[in-house]
Amino acid sequence: MIIGLVCSAAHGVALPIMIIVFGQMTDSFVGSGMQVNITVNFTLNASSSNCPQLTGVDIQAAMTRYAYYFIAIGFSVLALATIQVATFLLSSSRQTQRIREKFFYAVLHQHMGWFDAHELGTLNTRLTDDVNKIKEGIGDKICIFLQFFCTFIAGIIIGFVHGWKLTLVILSVSPLIGVSAAVWTKILATLTSKELTSYAKAGAVAEEVLVAIRTVVAFNGQQKASEKYEANLVEAKQLGVKKSITTNLSLGLSQFFIFCAYALAFWYGTKLAIEEPDNYSIGKVLIVFFSVLIGTFSLGQAAPNLESIANARGAAYEVYKTIDEPRPIDSSSKEGYKPDQIKGDIEFKNIHFSYPTRPDVKILQGLNLKVQSGTTIALVGSSGCGKSTTIQLLQRFYDPLGGEITLDGQNIRTLNVKWLRENIGIVSQEPVLFATTIAENIRYGREDATDAEIEQAIKEANAYDFISRLPDGLNTMVGERGAQLSGGQKQRIAIARAIVKNPKILLLDEATSALDNQSEFIVQTALDKARAGRTTIVIAHRLSTIRTADIIAGFQNGVVCEQGTHSELMEIKGLYYSLVMQQSMKNEDEDNEYESDEMDETEDELEVLENEIAEIKSTRSLSRRSIRRRSTARGSRRSLKKKQKEGEEEENLPEASLSRILSLNKKEWPYLIVGLLASVIDGGVYPCFGIIFAKIIGVFGETDPVIRSQKTTMFSLLFVLLGAIFLVVMSLQGYTFGVSGETLTLKLRSLSFKAILRQEIGFFDDHKNSVGVLITRLATDASLVKGAGGSRLALGIQSICTLLLAVIIAFVFSWQLTLLILACIPFLVGASLVRMKSVAGHASKDQNALEASGKISTETVENIRTVVSLTREEIFFNMYCKSLRGPYRAELYKSPLYGLTYAIGQSINFFVNAAVFRLGSWLIAHCQTQFENVYIVFSVIVFAAMHVGQTSSFAPDLAKAKVSAQRIFALLEKKPKIDIFSTEGQKLDHFDGNIEFQDVHFAYPTRKNVQVLQGLNVKVSKGQTLALVGSSGCGKSTSVQLLERFYDPINGHVLVDGNDITSLNLAWLRSQIGIVSQEPILFDTSIAENIRYGDNSRSVTQEEIEEAAKKANIHSFIEDLPEKYSTKVGDKGAQLSGGQKQRIAIARALVRNPKVLLLDEATSALDTESEKIVQEALDEARQGRTCIIIAHRLSTIQNADIIAVISNGEVVEQGTHSELIAKGGAYYALANAQSGH
């Protein structure tokens, strides 16, 4: 950076030095001109054929000398500029990479309270948008700013040396210019910061919606989502318009002041030349004038760079605030005690706690609990009583407000945080998997796990069978958030991940709630094995799973109200007893039915079933597996790389012409036309300026003082007039292009967002369209295109007008010189073209690489709790850093090239000057032209080029804008097969709710070779309840997704009232269906808003919301909260317990009063007490509705009208509960497995 600064300072001085050469040269010219004036007047009359030889001035020799000076300066500028830009671009790449890493690192190591208080979406926007702004501000902008600043200083010094009076007069105007610049920089920074905040809010909305896309789609929430997104964009748009007006007004003002300064300088310079001819020749006046002028001009040119630097500071404020944020619980900290061995005695002493975001709701109120090492303690109690909170405190996600938690007698606050978490294994209720392979997901449990250990872990977690059935085995990609797997499969992988860690303390938060009976029994056995010799804390609502616990602790109102073994607590007849009684009453009905069948058969039965199922599986897959096993590991990695490559090639983008971009701006055309007219006028200002300037120099050739001062006064007033025109024109442009550009951005963002929401679910399953990638695109693409539609277009027109006018004027005054200058123009243009090309090529590469890192950061931040509990912050941090290396390397190659092209653009003027004046001197010597004409040609073209040069600094954005526009159009053109916005399809006048699956075959689009459904036939009539049962991954949830038309079957039909659902209107179809799923996703708004989300086709009243809440047994809980229905639920409902979330989700489904109700494991996450009441609510909700239930707990579906057992994607038997039990087939075996256990 220091080298860069030195070079840019030296480069800055080059221009003022050239001015001294220029001034001396002008004196030679004017000298020749005066003599010519005298001689020409005499000789022209006599004969114009012979050209008078001038005495005393050998103009050609003098010019040759000056030409050499120019060339020397040119070459030094070439070298200096290259070095200055290259060094700064290198250092800025390095710094932004470091900032990105530091920011991500800081976020990863924050405590959970911090995440509760920050929207996750804004963090990712900060990582992409804000850091890009910082990069803009600290790159070549700084050295170019310094270069201009040094030009300013050198100019002022030269001015004072050559003529201090004139310098002072010119400088008197400078404070005006300086103050106006300072004021607008300040205003801009505040506006930018506000604009960024509102974009970050919109980004957070988009992220929340895309993460929960299935929920949004199921409840027809697309319209609502895009309205909410747009509302945040409108605020940003208004700020953007203000920003545009401010920028242009201030630019106009500063130019106006500069023009006034010209007027004053020339008027006063002429006066001085008349009064003190010895001190002030025209050359001196010019040197002073130009030095000071170019000095102040440079300040003007430095301003846009300052704007970038100011923007960067605004963005950096937020970024650095996060980086410097204190981290009370820091997993990266080396501090804290790390005992050599750990026994596992845990004690909670008088713990008081409430969540940082809801300090007034006390969760734990003096909790006392002791866990002996190697024992298992089970925590029971109703939802929201503080069970999960206890586990979070033990992992030090939060610190208690009062009391202490000890491990082996040590307060856990004194222990090293990472060490503590490494010794704790956790399996939670909603397991989070990452978008990588199954093996990698398990390896997140322990980095150095060998393949053999992983295989052992999946066997223990009963996941071996289903994994070996997958074509890629352990190398199968699980999709974003594990979307490609069923709930039970995810849960078992999470258990394997915990087992592989071999932790001393095991926390099981509802670990088996999502499993079907058969897996549950086996996994429960696996967990019982895993518990051996470990201190285990189990949270369970299904009390049958914890009877064997050493101690059972009953929680109520944030304290332990009773503890003991199962039999002790049953004797006390307290809280635990009542929970057990509620559950067993429910189980009694089914127990009675098959208690009479000899119970001792159960075990054998189960074994037979296991063997049968295993056999079916193995015969189907053995032959394939043995061949495949060896090549899988190598192949899948290769195929992954290949897929990525294909993906990059496939992205052939549609053409995005300027007219197409502008057609989106149809309504704003009046604004655009006014703005473009203003640009045309703006383009004429500088050529006119050139003429007036040359005329004033010509005035010095005038021998009569009176005429000289009259002419000067006239030209000076013309300068002021030009300034006023410029001010008006700039302000107009600011307003018109601000409105049209910002409206375009808003349109593009909201259209892109709508287009994303319109896509079918298969689009989101593709790893190329992960949430992170889509959000990065939404954030960057539209704002890049904005330029192409408004301000950049204006700059183009302005530049064309300026150049055209300049060339025409030049031709009129001296065609020979003009031709020479035009011959040089290709070099000038070529230099800037090379520069544009080099930027554009890298633009798309940068974008792709940043999308990759955006994907990693989004996934990590979204699932921060899992990352932290696995202590895998380092792995994700390293993955993120690795994804940044690609773009960083590209920058290293591109910096020198970029520097060179910039340098050519900077230095070529010097070479052109040398050529022009050398030819000019020859033309004057041979009487082909007069010196005034040489100056008119020169100044018109030079000023025009200077102006164009200033504006072309925006050119690189055009290249980026084009790629972004193509991407946006590709998205807008992408018409999904299942289109929610389509008005086609019939809406049935009368809908009963008869549903039938006819020979349905299906495989997920991202895994076409794995057949999930293989000829599913099942039927349910109006008002009946159909229950689907079977082991995890057999296709139960898939059939529900097909009914919602998330996907279309490959073969076969899904019929509703006899109509194929593909012929029905999609929005209408979904509005008839209410769904409650296994892992309900809530939005980060109030409880009322979440329930209201159930019906987005109308406005739902508060009475209806409360009615639905009462039906879902959540009303009284909500009424007890301080803010009642206005309570915020936190990101994905993080502020609520699993059971509370589930009940809100049920209320949400009931509020739309659907004809068909889909319950996908709707009660699996509830404790006994709630489950019983919710089950009653659901039974009531089912009345008069067609209902499809997926359940692993068979007790919840005994009274279903039809029970269908699914295995390998087809129905193997169906009937009522009693029919199937009597049959003694697959269902009987499942039921037996459950009751036995």
Side-chain angles (χ1 to χ4, degrees), residues 77-282:
V77 165
L78 187 65
L80 292 170
T82 307
I83 299 170
Q84 119 194 12
V85 172
T87 49
F88 262 87
L89 282 179
L90 285 177
S91 74
S92 81
S93 309
R94 244 179 241 145
Q95 277 165 295
T96 33
Q97 188 188 12
R98 241 179 274 151
I99 290 175
R100 278 202 170 97
E101 289 174 3
K102 277 216 157 70
F103 180 75
F104 189 57
Y105 186 82
V107 170
L108 272 185
H109 293 87
Q110 281 302 347
H111 57 117
M112 285 305 143
W114 187 84
F115 285 99
D116 294 342
H118 286 73
E119 285 188 50
L120 300 183
T122 57
L123 296 177
N124 286 312
T125 313
R126 296 243 176 272
L127 257 181
T128 45
D129 264 19
D130 293 11
V131 178
N132 283 345
K133 283 204 166 63
I134 296 177
K135 183 174 181 180
E136 288 273 283
I138 62 174
D140 49 353
K141 299 277 191 288
I142 291 186
C143 66
I144 293 175
F145 171 72
L146 180 77
Q147 169 200 328
F148 286 133
F149 187 68
C150 289
T151 307
F152 165 69
I153 299 287
I156 300 296
I157 292 171
I158 290 172
F160 273 114
V161 170
H162 283 267
W164 61 272
K165 280 186 186 171
L166 186 54
T167 306
L168 282 177
V169 170
I170 299 175
L171 282 180
S172 63
V173 190
S174 303
L176 265 178
I177 299 170
V179 169
S180 68
V183 170
W184 72 264
T185 311
K186 180 91 187 104
I187 297 173
L188 261 182
T190 41
L191 283 175
T192 306
S193 154
K194 280 184 188 162
E195 186 186 26
L196 282 178
T197 311
S198 46
Y199 274 139
K201 274 191 209 153
V205 171
E207 180 161 334
E208 183 175 50
V209 168
L210 295 179
V211 166
I213 189 72
R214 280 177 160 76
T215 308
V216 174
V217 168
F219 288 103
N220 285 340
Q222 291 92 334
Q223 196 53 41
K224 199 174 207 170
S226 56
E227 280 164 15
K228 190 174 172 190
Y229 183 65
E230 209 161 297
N232 279 308
L233 292 179
V234 169
E235 189 188 337
K237 171 193 155 176
Q238 289 158 350
L239 287 163
V241 174
K242 279 185 194 161
K243 192 169 133 186
S244 167
I245 295 172
T246 317
T247 311
N248 278 31
L249 189 66
S250 45
L251 280 174
L253 261 177
S254 55
Q255 288 293 345
F256 174 66
F257 291 142
I258 288 174
F259 279 126
C260 291
Y262 293 163
L264 187 62
F266 274 119
W267 174 78
Y268 187 60
T270 321
K271 192 164 169 285
L272 282 177
I274 296 171
E275 287 169 11
E276 308 175 24
D278 301 340
N279 295 338
Y280 288 96
S281 65
I282 173 65

Side-chain angles (χ1 to χ4, degrees), residues 909-930:
N909 291 341
F910 293 96
F911 303 129
V912 173
N913 286 354
V916 169
F917 283 111
R918 182 67 193 82
L919 176 68
S921 63
W922 186 86
L923 290 173
I924 291 174
H926 292 79
C927 288
Q928 301 275 326
T929 186
Q930 284 182 341

Side-chain angles (χ1 to χ4, degrees), residues 1009-1049:
N1009 47 0
V1010 182
Q1011 285 284 326
V1012 182
L1013 298 180
Q1014 311 187 21
L1016 179 74
N1017 284 296
V1018 70
K1019 191 173 181 179
V1020 57
S1021 304
K1022 168 187 177 179
Q1024 282 189 325
T1025 296
L1026 162 70
L1028 305 178
V1029 299
S1031 60
S1032 271
C1034 66
K1036 305 185 297 289
S1037 299
T1038 305
S1039 48
V1040 166
Q1041 296 195 46
L1042 291 178
L1043 179 58
E1044 280 271 10
R1045 249 197 110 191
F1046 286 175
Y1047 305 95
D1048 281 339

